[in-house]
Amino acid sequence: MSRVLLVEDDPAVSEGLHLALRRQGHQVRTAATGEEGLEQFRAEPPDIVILDLMLPGIDGFEVCRRIRTAGNVPIVMLTARDDDMDVVAGLEAGADDYVTKPVQPRVLEARIRAVLRRIGGDRSDREHHGDLVLDRAALTVTKHGEPVSLAPTELRLLLELTRSPGRVLSRQQLLEAVWEHGYLGDSRLVDACVQRLRVKIEDDQSHPVYVQTVRGFGYRFGPVAGAERA
């Protein structure tokens, strides 16, 4: 059973998703405005946030940014349409995934389960990659000895890339491994997550050392000289 915070201003949509999520076994709290959503988030942090982007007052983009600044709770955003600008802006604000309205409860449930699965997977040994130390058992990352705070999807992406340093992974391969979308996935999820990850682990984002772009193919990790397992 997961604790879900649903932030949605449309009463009909909110009620429908509330009932559907409760039937699927989740504990659900709802908020109709961005301000209310942030208040509920601070009062009792949930396991996952379902966030509409078009909210009165503080919009969903700003709510997403504030939640991401406050912690690493996964966020699935709801978009009224498959609009490139909205999707990209939401992902860059820190969302882990998105679902287009009208929302099918089964689709939303699948996305929730996929996001929450990503938090608990991939446990192995501690690894040193240059200045980065990745502890797969504790799911922690440090750089120069200082903790690096990664959102769940950012961590999952890093775990996947570091499985085989130097190996090029296509966006489709990363979608299937990290987002579990298969052929229905959207490559913008990968690009936005890579951008956010670079902000946190690269010294110079314009010349990345860890997450490198291989034009026309995808991304690879390093290789970083001196990478080893502890």
Side-chain angles (χ1 to χ4, degrees):
M1 183 182 296
S2 302
R3 296 169 300 168
V4 177
L5 174 58
L6 171 63
V7 187
E8 167 62 62
D9 67 314
D10 186 317
V13 174
S14 180
E15 182 178 357
L17 291 179
H18 188 183
L19 291 173
L21 290 170
R22 286 187 61 186
R23 289 194 193 103
Q24 290 156 355
H26 301 288
Q27 294 180 349
V28 185
R29 290 179 294 131
T30 62
T33 67
E35 291 88 344
E36 185 183 355
L38 289 170
E39 288 175 3
Q40 293 210 34
F41 176 83
R42 296 185 188 107
E44 185 180 346
D47 296 315
I48 190 167
V49 177
I50 310 302
L51 176 63
D52 183 27
L53 292 182
M54 298 296 105
L55 295 170
I58 301 176
D59 65 21
F61 300 101
E62 182 61 23
V63 173
C64 185
R65 281 188 286 268
R66 294 190 190 184
I67 289 176
R68 184 56 66 233
T69 299
N72 295 325
V73 172
I75 301 168
V76 176
M77 62 182 182
L78 305 179
T79 64
R81 59 190 184 282
D82 190 9
D83 183 279
D84 285 353
M85 295 298 292
D86 283 354
V87 170
V88 171
L91 295 172
E92 290 180 347
D96 296 283
D97 205 344
Y98 74 94
V99 177
T100 303
K101 293 182 178 180
V103 181
Q104 298 297 322
R106 289 184 180 179
V107 173
L108 180 58
E109 171 66 10
R111 297 293 174 84
I112 289 172
R113 290 184 182 277
V115 169
L116 292 176
R117 271 200 305 270
R118 296 199 292 264
I119 299 173
D122 293 11
R123 298 173 181 253
S124 183
D125 297 328
R126 196 177 186 191
E127 301 172 4
H128 292 257
H129 299 278
D131 296 324
L132 285 180
V133 177
L134 173 61
D135 190 329
R136 290 181 180 270
L139 294 179
T140 60
V141 178
T142 60
K143 182 178 180 181
H144 301 303
E146 296 296 325
V148 179
S149 180
L150 299 179
T153 304
E154 296 162 5
L155 177 58
R156 177 77 176 193
L157 177 63
L158 182 60
L159 290 168
E160 189 63 30
L161 288 168
T162 53
R163 286 183 186 279
S164 303
R167 179 189 174 197
V168 179
L169 296 174
S170 69
R171 290 173 176 80
Q172 187 63 35
Q173 287 174 308
L174 290 170
L175 278 169
E176 293 173 358
V178 177
W179 282 267
E180 303 176 8
H181 282 189
Y183 68 93
L184 295 176
D186 188 331
S187 64
R188 292 172 298 187
L189 292 169
V190 179
D191 295 335
C193 193
V194 165
Q195 181 180 349
R196 299 200 309 265
L197 181 59
R198 283 174 172 165
V199 169
K200 298 180 180 181
I201 69 172
E202 300 285 358
D203 291 327
D204 182 356
Q205 298 171 52
S206 62
H207 297 88
V209 172
Y210 298 107
V211 183
Q212 302 175 355
T213 301
V214 180
R215 295 191 181 280
F217 293 94
Y219 297 99
R220 70 181 173 200
F221 186 86
V224 178
E228 60 182 18
R229 287 180 181 267

